[in-house]
Amino acid sequence: MELNGIKPAEGAKHAKRRVGRGIGSGLGKTAGRGHKGQKSRSGGYHKVGFEGGQMPMQRRLPKRGFKSHLLKFNAEVTLTALEQLGLAEVDVLVLKQAGLVGELAKVIKVIKTGELTKAVKLTGIGATAAAKVAIEAAGGSLV
């Protein structure tokens, strides 16, 4: 095989259809667009979702739900994660360095998933009611 003998695969390349180039081409006169009407004009076509004047689907359906843009600043930590961390004192910086919460997190809350046996002192971190009971039962505290 030589560089000057390389060719694309059979059927990979084909000539672009040239419309509106006379009767002999088979696509002259109306160039395959039919006669008159919006779809035959240049630049003329309906917008996405247009249903011929009928009320479109996206307007017939009710608006529902909401996703707060502030969610990226909230984070959760489980009791299991605190247990595995194995530190006596935990604050926001420690959790970020351990990779348990994202770098953007500002509000961090402990949730009751799993068990906690070690005493952990939490500084600047919230907890759910059940998690608070579990932390205090293990001898820890929330500051």
Side-chain angles (χ1 to χ4, degrees), residues 6-143:
I6 296 173
K7 278 200 258 181
E10 196 64 42
K13 304 279 262 178
H14 54 88
K16 189 173 183 289
R17 178 172 285 148
R18 296 184 72 222
V19 298
R21 289 293 177 271
I23 198 169
S25 70
L27 283 169
K29 196 184 169 221
T30 54
R33 286 172 171 260
H35 290 278
K36 296 186 183 174
Q38 188 180 26
K39 289 182 0 183
S40 73
R41 318 271 188 223
S42 68
Y45 205 64
H46 57 75
K47 64 183 177 211
V48 176
F50 184 68
E51 297 183 21
Q54 171 177 294
M55 188 62 68
M57 183 65 77
Q58 75 270 22
R59 290 190 59 200
R60 284 196 302 253
L61 298 173
K63 290 198 281 186
R64 197 163 171 271
F66 165 75
K67 185 171 181 181
S68 173
H69 66 282
L70 299 172
L71 282 175
K72 60 180 175 240
F73 301 114
N74 298 345
E76 290 178 349
V77 178
T78 61
L79 290 177
T80 308
L82 288 178
E83 180 80 19
Q84 288 171 350
L85 199 59
L87 296 173
E89 292 195 18
V90 176
D91 63 356
V92 176
L93 195 62
V94 169
L95 293 175
K96 285 183 181 179
Q97 287 169 344
L100 290 174
V101 297
E103 287 298 314
L104 291 175
K106 291 180 182 170
V107 179
I108 299 172
K109 207 168 201 183
V110 179
I111 58 172
K112 189 187 180 296
T113 302
E115 297 297 319
L116 187 65
T117 55
K118 303 173 185 132
V120 179
K121 182 184 177 189
L122 299 173
T123 311
I125 298 169
T128 62
K132 190 173 181 181
V133 170
I135 291 164
E136 287 170 351
S141 63
L142 289 145
V143 182

